[in-house]
Amino acid sequence: MSAVRAELAKLRAARTAWIATGVLLAIHVLVQCEALGLTRDAVAAIAPDGTIELFIGERQPATRALLDQAAGSSLQMCLFLPVLGAILGGLEARRLGAALLAVPRQGRLVLAKTVAVAAWLAVVCVLVSVISVAFLWLAAGVMWSAVAPQALFLGYAVLYSLIGHAFALAGRGMLAGLLGVVAVTAVTMTQAAPRWLDALWPLSAGRNLLLDPHVDDALSSGRLVAALVVAAWAALALTVAAVVVRRRDW
């Protein structure tokens, strides 16, 4: 615990960590503000049969569509959350050898850094969820059923973001972490992989885990498979990072 507290203190003292977190949350608020007016108009025009037109020409059951939109608004921040993980993981990656003089057990140090970064990311993800639910409330009123998808988002987002942290540790720097995150994200965003392969990538797993299959027909797997995929990615990335740190000649 003393090692974890020390790592948390380092993060709190790092200006880069605060700036990156502030920028991420500001982007989320800005995007939600841009969509608020359109969502309010769509809510005001809900048809007598209970359907809503959030997208032109697409009518869907209102409650289901609004909940899916709130989950999607949090999920879209997963384009940036692994970047934050890479930034946090890379803050002192190049000086990790010096830290090993104070904490000679590499495994203990990597674990402490990972727990500290996970705690920081968890707070950020909670704030992202709160913002998403708050804007849903502003657009459509209180919808307590939006909480469950956001709980899934918290678990997924922290695990996915830790992949960026692991890339930075293994690559001994923030740049390596960022390049790794961009590469993983690009595979999903280009939509070049076949459906079965798409389901095995962590960003696609978030879509499959959080979005409603009745609303989004582009899902490539079920929720159980999606949860296993992101957990496997995080576990593998962190294990590789720990092995690399252990074997590196500092």
Side-chain angles (χ1 to χ4, degrees):
M1 289 303 298
S2 60
V4 173
R5 286 194 295 269
E7 294 302 324
L8 282 172
K10 291 178 185 178
L11 291 180
R12 289 195 299 268
R15 184 179 301 176
T16 302
W18 289 104
I19 292 174
T21 299
V23 169
L24 185 149
L25 294 175
I27 291 173
H28 190 37
V29 172
L30 179 61
V31 171
Q32 295 304 300
C33 286
E34 290 290 330
L36 180 59
L38 295 175
T39 305
R40 277 179 168 172
D41 292 342
V43 169
I46 290 178
D49 62 355
T51 59
I52 191 172
E53 188 176 0
L54 291 175
F55 305 99
I56 297 176
E58 296 182 19
R59 300 204 68 87
Q60 302 165 339
T63 299
R64 183 184 293 169
L66 288 168
L67 293 179
D68 204 59
Q69 184 185 53
S73 66
S74 293
L75 181 61
Q76 68 186 355
M77 297 312 296
C78 286
L79 293 172
F80 305 102
L81 282 166
V83 173
L84 178 60
I87 291 173
L88 297 177
L91 285 175
E92 293 192 336
R94 290 190 177 278
R95 297 195 296 272
L96 197 56
L100 289 172
L101 296 177
V103 187
R105 295 174 59 186
Q106 293 94 330
R108 181 184 176 190
L109 180 61
V110 171
L111 179 60
K113 284 184 173 293
T114 300
V115 171
V117 170
W120 186 287
L121 290 168
V123 173
V124 175
C125 292
V126 168
L127 293 175
V128 169
S129 291
V130 169
I131 292 169
S132 297
V133 174
F135 274 91
L136 177 62
W137 176 79
L138 290 173
V142 177
M143 300 185 71
W144 293 111
S145 48
V147 174
Q150 296 299 325
L152 285 175
F153 163 76
L154 293 178
Y156 164 77
V158 172
L159 285 177
Y160 182 35
S161 302
L162 284 175
I163 295 172
H165 161 70
F167 286 164
L169 280 181
R172 202 178 177 182
M174 197 178 298
L175 179 59
L178 294 175
L179 291 175
V181 167
V182 170
V184 170
T185 302
V187 172
T188 301
M189 298 303 292
T190 55
Q191 298 183 336
R195 190 179 182 89
W196 67 269
L197 184 58
D198 175 79
L200 300 180
W201 292 88
L203 185 57
S204 298
R207 182 190 64 215
N208 297 332
L209 182 66
L210 295 177
L211 301 186
D212 191 327
H214 295 94
V215 176
D216 192 331
D217 59 2
L219 304 187
S220 53
S221 76
R223 285 181 172 173
L224 178 58
V225 172
L228 292 175
V229 165
V230 70
W233 267 87
L236 179 61
L238 291 170
T239 300
V240 170
V243 171
V244 169
V245 170
R246 188 179 184 86
R247 293 187 175 182
R248 181 174 291 144
D249 183 8
W250 296 99

